[in-house]
Amino acid sequence: MAESKLVMLVDTKRCIACNSCAVACKVENNLPKDVWWNRVMTVGGPHLDAPSGTYPNLEMYNVTVACQHCENPACVKVCPVGATYKDPETGVVRQDYDKCIGCRMCMSACPYNGVRSFNWEEPVYHLDFATGDQDVAPHQKHVVEKCTFCWHRLAKGLSPACVEACSARARIFGDASDPDSAVSQKLRERSSMRLLEDRDTEPSVYFLR
């Protein structure tokens, strides 16, 4: 596979905070009870779906928060056993559960709060059967987990589950190293922002404005 730079675009003008992306992620990856790799947050007032300002001058948009799959990931630098690593061919930041020793250094180093979870005990599920893709790595006790950009789907040439589930078509996923890709075209056409750009992590998730 040729080296690529996989990125996620989230169109803040189209996102309606339906949480389909978060639910699709949970089901596809058979996430344990109370574990979410993807969340939708409102930028506006003090509450979910609440705008800032005074009527009629109101402002609000939604930001989806998950692992940012940084080009310069702080988590990779601090992992003592190489359990957190960056795939050289795609740029996806991955976790090797079998190597993870549960030190949680990656969680401490990551500037994006809440994008990782730690399994303190054997994973517990809402259902008594597994959901999602059979190629998802089994969840384990005493390991750190996070969004994988649905690595098991990428290996089959598919997009992450959150992209396919987005009814508003607010998510675009692709190779930013290809100037003709949909993500490259959108980044040229629209202004965008990334979370905590001052931390020099170079996130691979862009929010179109």
Side-chain angles (χ1 to χ4, degrees), residues 9-64:
L9 310 186
V10 180
D11 190 335
T12 60
K13 292 184 177 180
R14 297 186 67 91
C15 179
I16 58 175
C18 67
N19 283 283
S20 293
C21 55
V23 174
C25 170
K26 189 171 184 68
V27 173
E28 175 70 20
N29 291 284
N30 191 36
L31 297 186
K33 187 176 181 179
D34 300 327
V35 172
W36 297 86
W37 288 352
N38 193 3
R39 295 172 293 138
V40 181
M41 307 189 72
T42 302
V43 179
H47 307 292
L48 184 66
D49 296 333
S52 62
T54 303
Y55 182 82
N57 301 310
L58 303 175
E59 183 178 8
M60 181 182 78
Y61 62 94
N62 302 302
V63 172
T64 58

Side-chain angles (χ1 to χ4, degrees), residues 61-193:
Y61 62 94
N62 302 302
V63 172
T64 58
V65 182
C67 175
Q68 301 296 293
H69 293 279
C70 305
E71 284 191 61
N72 185 31
C75 56
V76 171
K77 295 178 181 178
V78 300
C79 182
V81 293
T84 300
Y85 65 101
K86 182 178 176 183
D87 180 67
E89 295 183 331
T90 62
V92 174
V93 178
R94 300 186 61 187
Q95 299 277 134
D96 187 329
Y97 299 155
D98 292 330
K99 288 184 178 180
C100 181
I101 59 175
C103 69
R104 289 165 285 148
M105 290 292 291
C106 58
M107 298 180 76
S108 297
C110 177
Y112 305 101
N113 292 337
V115 302
R116 283 174 164 77
S117 60
F118 182 71
N119 293 331
W120 290 96
E121 302 295 341
E122 290 294 340
V124 177
Y125 302 89
H126 287 287
L127 302 175
D128 58 3
F129 58 88
T131 65
D133 196 292
Q134 63 181 358
D135 292 329
V136 171
H139 302 283
Q140 302 178 28
K141 179 181 178 180
H142 290 168
V143 301
V144 176
E145 298 186 342
K146 67 174 192 64
C147 161
T148 65
F149 269 169
C150 284
W151 180 258
H152 59 285
R153 292 176 60 88
L154 299 183
K156 302 173 186 176
L158 302 173
S159 296
C162 60
V163 176
E164 293 197 2
C166 182
S167 59
R169 297 294 181 261
R171 287 177 175 261
I172 306 172
F173 184 78
D175 184 2
S177 68
D178 177 3
D180 297 323
S181 67
V183 291
S184 294
Q185 292 177 34
K186 283 292 183 182
L187 289 173
R188 288 195 298 267
E189 297 168 359
R190 300 271 298 276
S191 62
S192 63
M193 69 169 189

